[in-house]
Amino acid sequence: MAISVTWPQVLAWRLKRQFVDPAAGEDAVSVIRRLTGVQAQVASSAELAVAVRRAEPRRGEIDRALWQERTLVKTWTARGTLHLVPSDELSCYAAVLGSFRHWEKGSWQRGHGVTAAEVAAILDAVPRALAGRTLTREELVEAVIEAAGDEHLREALTSGWGALLKPLSFLGELCYGRPREGRVTFAAPRDQVPGWPAAPPTAEEGGLVLVRSFLGAHGPGAPETFDAWLYRGAARKATLRGWFRDLAPELAEVEVEGRPMVLLAEHLDDLVATEPAAGVHLLPGFDQYILGAPRDLEPLLPKEARAKVSRAAGWISPVVIHGGRVAGVWEAKNGEITLDLFEDVPAAPLKAETERVAALLGSREVSG
């Protein structure tokens, strides 16, 4: 029989697992690994997501991990968005996301203004262009056009948010390189990532790694919640069921207020013993605490507040968390934090947390 737990328990447990309450992350890589990646299209939000989870944030630690130690890598992963992920896990993302192959669908090609032959030419040219070197976007575009002999690709490759480069990222053929004079560069993971595997994991192997990681931060969960987080429902249902079936010996069944879900069995006792949270926390935009949960999870995000949190063009607002629940949103302007609360929040802990985050924003420990 499944053990019953409440949503306040689950949310408190997630805050603890995600190094929010308490802020106990050991270093940037540990935090990002625990969170199953950190969304990074807004660099300052990614930096703050790590800093608020560290008792003593260190200046420049993300850049050091990316470009000197190379223990982090920046590229497009979950939901096709830019992420920071541990370097030794990138091949698992590539194994899974590369198996979707949505760029082979005519609807995707028409939506991006390219033909199947042009997609094939890009997939062939980019790995050869990046072999042993890093290139700016402009340099990469020129190299692809020269190799493919197709000037039409210029417009497609330079418009949008890198849509035609994302399949290369999903296939493990492209990631961000060290910026050059403030400009983005791209590199091949086999050159950028130490220990890049000669034989990549299978989609089945990679899927198990990602499901296990997801449940460790965002559990309890179910195939559909993992699927929504990974790529908005793009995984084949049989594949999803296979990952969860193969992990079954490691899983425990729970009921969260009547809803059947699973989590890693090693975490069951901790979840059951967790008391509802009472703390107040300010989390940045695009935070994994929000992104790892369904948008319609009422115990986390009240229905009347969704439009303020999940905004136009996929923008996710910075949030105020009280008792594990979204109680407001916030923004920083001219060094000051402005709050927009839609639930009562205790004044003293709110003031202390606001001052803590304002200090992080105003110091050189994190930027943005």
Side-chain angles (χ1 to χ4, degrees):
M1 177 180 293
I3 293 177
S4 296
V5 294
T6 67
W7 275 114
Q9 281 181 287
V10 168
L11 296 175
W13 184 81
R14 290 181 182 177
L15 288 172
K16 179 168 58 175
R17 288 291 301 171
Q18 294 180 30
F19 299 133
V20 175
D21 187 9
E26 182 178 344
D27 53 43
V29 178
S30 298
V31 170
I32 290 167
R33 186 184 303 280
R34 174 65 62 83
L35 294 177
T36 320
V38 167
Q39 198 159 315
Q41 70 265 45
V42 179
S44 59
S45 292
E47 292 172 0
L48 188 57
V50 172
V52 297
R53 290 169 163 88
R54 300 260 284 112
E56 298 180 358
R58 296 178 181 175
R59 180 183 179 184
E61 63 178 328
I62 290 178
D63 278 352
R64 282 195 298 274
L66 279 169
W67 315 126
Q68 298 175 25
E69 300 160 2
R70 298 192 179 186
T71 48
L72 290 176
V73 65
K74 185 176 182 178
T75 194
W76 292 283
T77 59
R79 302 174 304 283
T81 54
L82 198 60
H83 273 71
L84 301 172
V85 299
S87 297
D88 58 8
E89 293 182 353
L90 180 60
S91 62
C92 293
Y93 284 94
V96 171
L97 296 172
S99 71
F100 292 172
R101 310 195 76 83
H102 51 273
W103 53 87
E104 295 178 351
K105 297 179 179 178
S107 58
W108 188 93
Q109 295 163 5
R110 289 190 296 274
H112 292 87
V114 290
T115 66
E118 288 172 330
V119 172
I122 293 170
L123 296 182
D124 175 68
V126 169
R128 291 191 285 118
L130 291 177
R133 59 179 177 167
T134 61
L135 298 175
T136 65
R137 185 166 180 165
E138 294 77 12
E139 291 167 345
L140 182 58
V141 169
E142 294 299 331
V144 170
I145 291 172
E146 181 179 357
D150 185 351
E151 183 64 30
H152 172 254
L153 292 177
R154 183 182 303 278
E155 181 179 356
L157 284 166
T158 55
S159 64
W161 296 94
L164 292 183
L165 298 179
K166 291 180 183 181
L168 278 302
S169 176
F170 299 159
L171 290 167
E173 297 287 359
L174 175 143
C175 65
Y176 273 49
R178 187 169 193 155
R180 188 196 309 162
E181 298 177 350
R183 301 165 72 189
V184 166
T185 71
F186 297 105
R190 61 182 175 273
D191 298 325
Q192 184 74 15
V193 175
W196 184 254
T202 65
E204 291 74 19
E205 293 167 338
L208 296 182
V209 170
L210 297 188
V211 172
R212 193 180 287 115
S213 179
F214 176 82
L215 291 177
H218 307 288
E224 60 269 21
T225 60
F226 173 74
D227 194 21
W229 166 83
L230 179 64
Y231 212 84
R232 300 187 180 93
R236 296 181 180 89
K237 299 302 179 278
T239 301
L240 272 173
R241 289 193 296 269
W243 289 333
F244 277 76
R245 182 187 63 245
D246 291 346
L247 271 183
E250 301 179 35
L251 303 179
E253 297 180 357
V254 297
E255 281 195 1
V256 185
E257 299 185 3
R259 181 178 178 181
M261 306 180 85
V262 296
L263 82 162
L264 296 173
E266 65 187 270
H267 295 151
L268 179 60
D269 290 345
D270 188 35
L271 172 61
V272 172
T274 298
E275 297 290 335
V280 177
H281 310 281
L282 268 61
L283 299 178
F286 303 99
D287 195 83
Q288 286 294 87
Y289 183 68
I290 302 299
L291 295 173
R295 295 292 181 273
D296 60 354
L297 184 57
E298 184 77 15
L300 170 65
L301 180 59
K303 183 177 182 180
E304 60 273 14
R306 289 176 195 164
K308 289 188 175 183
V309 175
S310 186
R311 294 160 55 192
W315 189 269
I316 305 297
S317 298
V319 293
V320 179
I321 302 295
H322 174 229
R325 179 178 172 89
V326 177
V329 295
W330 65 274
E331 62 178 341
K333 286 186 176 180
N334 301 320
E336 295 187 0
I337 291 178
T338 303
L339 303 171
D340 179 6
L341 302 177
F342 29 82
E343 292 187 1
D344 290 336
V345 178
L350 177 60
K351 181 176 183 292
E353 175 68 355
T354 301
E355 290 175 350
R356 181 178 82 101
V357 173
L360 288 173
L361 291 170
S363 74
R364 294 185 177 184
E365 299 298 329
V366 296
S367 61

